[in-house]
Amino acid sequence: MTKVNVIITPKGSILDPHGRAGEAALKSRGYAVERVRVGKFIEVTVPEEDREKAKALVDKFCTELLVNQAMEDYRLEVEE
Amino acid sequence: MTKVNVIITPKGSILDPHGRAGEAALKSRGYAVERVRVGKFIEVTVPEEDREKAKALVDKFCTELLVNQAMEDYRLEVEE
């Protein structure tokens, strides 16, 4: 088994309403905060021992299904 | 400015419907996948140059507002 983490972030040019809401909520409590961006963190465990093959497989999952590449960027991290 | 990443994952004992949906969708396409867990990834930029102070501040944001500790675990990573 190999666990691959997918980190998905809204593209810089895209409005991120969840982030804006978090920013506003923190500011309304008096905190100094510059920017909040909210994305997704997906842990995918695949039955593959080879780390490179596992990463390539999860990359395929991302482009086919998990990530909306018009609005989101993503990166992969293979867990040790 | 310091950017602190907050990685939020559903607690192991909690049902994760988004993860189950992702798992089912991948399996229905014929992919071998063991487990999918869906959490959140929040980038918080604070006007604080000291990395430790920035991390402590964002930790406070998490416990006060960003994380539901009954259902979610979280960890912080200060960006280089």
Side-chain angles (χ1 to χ4, degrees):
Chain A
M1 295 290 167
T2 303
K3 194 192 275 183
V4 182
N5 295 329
V6 183
I7 292 151
I8 301 174
T9 50
K11 275 185 196 290
S13 55
I14 298 284
L15 176 66
D16 166 28
H18 290 103
R20 298 289 278 272
E23 236 176 85
L26 289 167
K27 282 177 179 165
S28 77
R29 288 171 176 242
Y31 290 121
V33 58
E34 183 64 23
R35 204 164 89 126
V36 178
R37 299 283 286 173
V38 177
K40 277 180 275 186
F41 181 84
I42 308 182
E43 290 172 358
V44 184
T45 307
V46 288
E48 169 63 63
E49 296 307 324
D50 184 285
R51 293 165 54 87
E52 284 310 308
K53 281 185 191 162
K55 194 175 174 183
L57 185 62
V58 174
D59 190 58
K60 204 169 169 185
F61 295 171
C62 288
T63 54
E64 273 191 36
L65 192 82
L66 301 175
V67 179
N68 174 355
Q69 289 187 82
M71 297 181 68
E72 298 167 329
D73 291 319
Y74 74 100
R75 60 182 191 269
L76 302 177
E77 286 173 0
V78 182
E79 274 205 11
E80 297 305 319
Chain B
M1 296 289 169
T2 303
K3 194 192 276 184
V4 182
N5 295 330
V6 183
I7 291 152
I8 302 175
T9 50
K11 276 187 196 290
S13 55
I14 298 282
L15 176 67
D16 166 27
H18 290 104
R20 298 289 279 273
E23 236 175 84
L26 289 167
K27 281 178 179 163
S28 77
R29 288 174 176 240
Y31 289 122
V33 57
E34 184 64 23
R35 203 163 89 125
V36 178
R37 299 284 286 173
V38 177
K40 277 179 274 187
F41 182 85
I42 308 182
E43 289 173 357
V44 184
T45 307
V46 289
E48 169 63 62
E49 295 306 325
D50 183 285
R51 293 165 53 87
E52 283 311 308
K53 281 186 192 161
K55 195 175 173 182
L57 184 63
V58 174
D59 189 58
K60 205 170 169 186
F61 295 170
C62 288
T63 54
E64 273 192 35
L65 192 81
L66 301 175
V67 179
N68 173 356
Q69 288 187 84
M71 296 181 69
E72 298 168 328
D73 292 319
Y74 74 100
R75 60 181 191 271
L76 302 176
E77 286 173 358
V78 183
E79 276 205 11
E80 297 304 321

